[in-house]
Amino acid sequence: MGETPWRPEDAPRLDGRVAVVTGANSGIGFQAARLLAHLGAHTVLACRSPERGERALERLRAQTPGAKAELALLDLADLASVRAFAEDPPAERIDILVNNAGVMALPYRTTADGFEMQFGTNHLGHFALTGLLLPRLLAARAPRVVTVSSELHRIGHTRFTVDGGPDRYRRWDAYAGSKLANLLFSGELHRRAEREGGALLSAAAHPGMAGTDLAAAGPSLEGRPRLGSLLAGAAGTIGHSDLGGALPTVRAAVDPDVRGGAYVGPRGFFGLRGAPRFCRPSTAARDHAAAARLWTLSEEATGVVYTWP
């Protein structure tokens, strides 16, 4: 007998808890934030753009009457912004941190700190954010960190570099590498928390293929918005909606059956769509030595060292 499909109706209430979702202005980030708010969590939409963030907050409140939600500005491509967010956090205690924000297959760009944009935003920004928020997380009774990866992590490699330069840049290789880094980080965070003997639970999720604006960003930056719209439409047709793509993240964030190191993704059609289930990441994503090397590189790049009580 197979695993019983998980539904949002199966989720426990989150009244009195605080959830922070990065990149919550659209797509699966917005839907994850909306569902967490619907379950009663005080939900913080951590967004880069104040205009898009305000629109998302208004939309969330309209769709979820009585929701406790607020907007906080956060640019993961700028470590100064990450530090400012952590120095003036929206709450003294954070129960759930969803590392969702990301960019995909962009033309070559660098972050404010000179890192290649996909690795810098998708991995280093979240590594720094989680480390700087660690005291707030450890103040919670049962804190959870959920890091959103992708099945494209399976073609990623562990030759990580903060910036190989434009001549060596391959956008899909960079994206796959950043998503592999997400999983290595999530697993290493779980092992370090376990060694410290605390209650922090680190898990990962992937949305499958969802019809969001993420696929459109790269072509749009190159002046090809029509191609971007076509890619986003195709993703929604082959895969599922942004709501369907958010369910693995939400399950990883709230399901009592989730254990540290878990990886949650869609159960159907080659993992592209369907109800969320527990799945197995690639062998490379389970390489403890590579995860430890990545952790050291990330500390050196960001200047953030995790401090446990």
Side-chain angles (χ1 to χ4, degrees):
M1 238 177 140
E3 181 185 341
T4 302
W6 186 90
R7 307 164 301 164
E9 293 80 12
D10 300 322
R13 292 290 302 174
L14 300 175
D15 301 283
R17 299 189 187 183
V18 177
V20 174
V21 182
T22 68
N25 61 281
S26 65
I28 64 172
F30 171 80
Q31 294 293 352
R34 184 180 66 81
L35 288 171
L36 292 172
H38 175 74
L39 292 168
H42 182 113
T43 304
V44 179
L45 285 66
C47 304
R48 179 175 59 87
S49 164
E51 294 80 12
R52 290 195 293 269
E54 287 289 354
R55 288 197 295 270
L57 183 60
E58 291 174 8
R59 182 181 166 206
L60 186 151
R61 287 172 172 167
Q63 294 181 6
T64 314
K68 298 175 182 177
E70 64 177 291
L71 173 66
L73 298 182
L74 171 66
D75 184 355
L76 288 157
D78 184 346
L79 290 178
S81 174
V82 175
R83 289 184 180 277
F85 181 94
E87 286 169 4
D88 187 20
E92 291 299 309
R93 184 198 76 244
I94 296 172
D95 299 89
I96 299 169
L97 172 61
V98 177
N99 291 326
N100 162 80
V103 291
M104 181 173 78
L106 300 178
Y108 179 76
R109 297 281 194 283
T110 56
T111 69
D113 304 281
F115 308 134
E116 184 276 309
M117 182 65 77
Q118 297 192 79
F119 187 69
T121 302
N122 298 355
H123 169 62
L124 290 176
H126 283 125
F127 175 90
L129 178 68
T130 306
L132 292 169
L133 290 179
L134 190 61
R136 313 289 179 180
L137 288 160
L138 295 179
R141 182 177 58 82
R144 254 184 224 204
V145 176
V146 177
T147 303
V148 179
S149 183
S150 163
E151 280 295 81
L152 283 178
H153 83 272
R154 298 183 186 279
I155 61 171
H157 58 73
T158 56
R159 299 185 302 276
F160 297 111
T161 177
V162 295
D163 184 28
D167 294 338
R168 299 178 60 187
Y169 181 70
R170 300 293 182 270
R171 66 183 68 192
W172 286 107
D173 287 349
Y175 178 72
S178 73
K179 294 288 105 178
L180 174 57
N182 287 153
L183 276 169
L184 288 168
F185 161 66
S186 180
E188 184 68 8
L189 179 59
H190 156 62
R191 289 186 290 274
R192 289 178 181 240
E194 196 171 48
R195 286 199 298 270
E196 295 296 332
L200 178 71
L201 187 155
S202 173
H206 79 87
M209 185 175 285
T212 71
D213 294 335
L214 185 63
S220 296
L221 285 173
E222 294 178 314
R224 297 187 292 169
R226 187 175 179 185
L227 174 60
S229 298
L230 288 171
L231 289 174
T237 300
I238 298 170
H240 50 187
S241 66
D242 54 359
L243 175 58
L247 293 184
T249 296
V250 175
R251 182 176 187 182
V254 305
D255 185 357
D257 291 336
V258 170
R259 298 291 179 263
Y263 182 44
V264 183
R267 66 185 297 135
F269 194 63
F270 297 101
L272 297 178
R273 63 189 185 210
R277 66 177 176 92
F278 297 110
C279 45
R280 188 174 177 82
S282 69
T283 300
R286 291 179 277 117
D287 185 334
H288 294 192
R293 290 196 305 272
L294 175 64
W295 193 279
T296 300
L297 180 152
S298 303
E299 287 182 334
E300 293 171 350
T302 63
V304 175
V305 177
Y306 283 47
T307 304
W308 304 84

